[in-house]
């Protein structure tokens, strides 16, 4: 525990030459506090003689290590060894510390991505189980969480179930009528599997302008051949761009 605490308090541990003699601190006892000086946070602190002996037995004469600390815990180290005395300038050591920090950030990002993937997998399992059991209301929120949408609708067994920010039930029913109309066949215009996605519904579907406040973006996935669907909605978002020059010029 004590060694772990030392490595966490000083992220860089640098021993330029293990054959250099250790210099004692004078005075050994602080005359004001009457206690030994705590050398834990300083990089000039000598290491235990047993550690020096261990390094020498390996044929190493210089070492530098960096603690990998994530979420307040010591999870590993980068250990650098040299067979002769090696002076590493302070700026170079700072650069190495930054590389270690970048490594920890990337590790945290991978952990977050893994956690998100596990959550999505769980949401997917819950949604599919609820759909198979006909529990449409229980499937709504897991389906909404699976994608970055504002609303979702499930049409199954003639029943419409919605959650989040969606068009009205009448507007969704009208949309479903268009989706299932063979004369439009819009589901197969974009994707041979019947998937449909657009960010500008009003440009591709008659009447889409009327529901753009809730469904300018639309993703449709058929879940059966009997005209049953899952629909995800996103409202219209208008972005204004201020150009530094004339955007029409080459």
């Amino acid at each position: 525990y004590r060694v772990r605490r030392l490595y966490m308090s000083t992220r860089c541990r640098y021993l330029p030459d293990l054959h250099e003699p250790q210099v004692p601190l004078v005075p050994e006892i602080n005359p004001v506090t009457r206690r030994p000086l705590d050398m834990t946070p300083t990089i000039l602190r000598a290491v235990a003689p047993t550690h020096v002996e261990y390094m020498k037995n390996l044929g190493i004469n210089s070492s530098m290590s960096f603690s990998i600390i994530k979420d307040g815990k010591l999870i590993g180290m980068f250990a650098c060894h040299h067979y002769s005395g090696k002076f590493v300038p302070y700026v170079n050591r700072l650069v190495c510390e930054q590389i270690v920090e970048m490594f920890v950030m990337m590790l945290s990002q991978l952990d977050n991505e893994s956690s998100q993937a596990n959550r999505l997998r769980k949401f997917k399992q819950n949604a599919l189980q609820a759909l198979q059991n006909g529990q449409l209301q229980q499937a709504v929120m897991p389906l909404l969480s699976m994608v970055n949408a504002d609303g979702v609708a499930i049409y199954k067994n003639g029943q419409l179930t919605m959650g989040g920010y969606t068009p009205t039930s009448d507007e969704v029913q009208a949309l479903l009528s268009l989706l299932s109309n063979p004369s439009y066949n819009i589901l197969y215009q974009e994707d041979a599997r019947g998937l449909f996605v657009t960010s500008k519904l009003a440009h591709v579907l008659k009447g889409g302008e009327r529901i753009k406040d809730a469904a300018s973006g639309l993703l449709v996935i058929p879940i059966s051949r009997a005209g049953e669907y899952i629909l995800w909605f996103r409202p219209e978002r208008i972005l204004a761009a201020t150009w530094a020059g004339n955007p029409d010029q080459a």
Side-chain angles (χ1 to χ4, degrees):
Y1 172 78
R2 182 174 179 273
V3 174
R4 280 181 170 269
R5 186 171 61 85
L6 289 173
Y7 276 111
M8 289 184 65
S9 62
T10 309
R11 293 179 180 244
C12 175
R13 195 176 192 185
Y14 174 46
L15 306 173
D17 194 336
L18 291 172
H19 287 282
E20 287 290 328
Q22 295 186 3
V23 180
L25 187 69
V26 179
E28 184 176 341
I29 301 298
N30 189 316
V32 177
T33 63
R34 303 295 179 182
R35 299 177 60 185
L37 180 66
D38 183 7
M39 299 285 286
T40 301
T42 176
I43 201 169
L44 300 176
R45 173 179 53 83
V47 298
T50 53
H51 181 75
V52 174
E53 182 181 0
Y54 171 72
M55 290 293 186
K56 288 181 178 178
N57 290 339
L58 293 175
I60 295 166
N61 195 31
S62 180
S63 76
M64 182 171 62
S65 63
F66 296 92
S67 303
I68 304 175
I69 301 173
K70 180 177 176 291
D71 299 330
K73 296 181 180 179
L74 180 69
I75 63 170
M77 299 179 65
F78 287 109
C80 313
H81 295 152
H82 205 68
Y83 292 109
S84 61
K86 178 71 174 178
F87 175 71
V88 181
Y90 176 67
V91 173
N92 293 23
R93 281 180 269 145
L94 284 180
V95 172
C96 292
E97 289 186 21
Q98 292 300 313
I99 293 174
V100 176
E101 290 297 322
M102 291 171 61
F103 173 81
V104 173
M105 290 176 60
M106 294 174 67
L107 195 62
S108 299
Q109 183 178 355
L110 288 174
D111 286 347
N112 291 336
E113 291 175 356
S114 177
S115 298
Q116 290 174 359
N118 289 334
R119 285 197 298 271
L120 285 175
R121 193 177 299 111
K122 185 177 181 180
F123 280 132
K124 181 180 179 181
Q125 292 172 348
N126 292 341
L128 292 177
Q129 188 67 40
L131 282 174
Q132 290 173 358
N133 297 336
Q135 301 170 323
L136 302 188
Q137 194 62 50
Q138 286 84 344
V140 165
M141 296 316 296
L143 285 170
L144 184 58
S145 302
M146 283 173 58
V147 299
N148 186 20
D150 293 78
V152 64
I154 308 170
Y155 184 70
K156 184 176 173 62
N157 297 328
Q159 179 182 351
L160 178 64
T161 306
M162 301 190 298
Y165 183 53
T166 67
T168 66
S169 58
D170 290 341
E171 290 171 337
V172 175
Q173 290 283 6
L175 179 60
L176 288 168
S177 299
L178 291 175
L179 291 174
S180 57
N181 190 330
S183 62
Y184 281 95
N185 202 27
I186 63 169
L187 286 176
Y188 294 88
Q189 292 177 5
E190 301 289 334
D191 190 296
R193 296 167 297 177
L195 306 181
F196 177 79
V197 59
T198 180
S199 61
K200 299 177 181 179
L201 184 62
H203 289 199
V204 296
L205 190 65
K206 182 180 178 181
E209 180 73 21
R210 291 193 296 270
I211 59 174
K212 66 179 182 179
D213 289 341
S216 181
L218 175 65
L219 169 63
V220 181
I221 297 179
I223 55 177
S224 77
R225 297 180 181 274
E228 298 178 330
Y229 307 98
I230 300 176
L231 305 90
W232 284 274
F233 305 101
R234 285 181 181 169
E236 180 183 50
R237 292 187 176 93
I238 300 175
L239 302 178
T242 303
W243 294 86
N246 185 354
D248 297 323
Q249 290 181 346

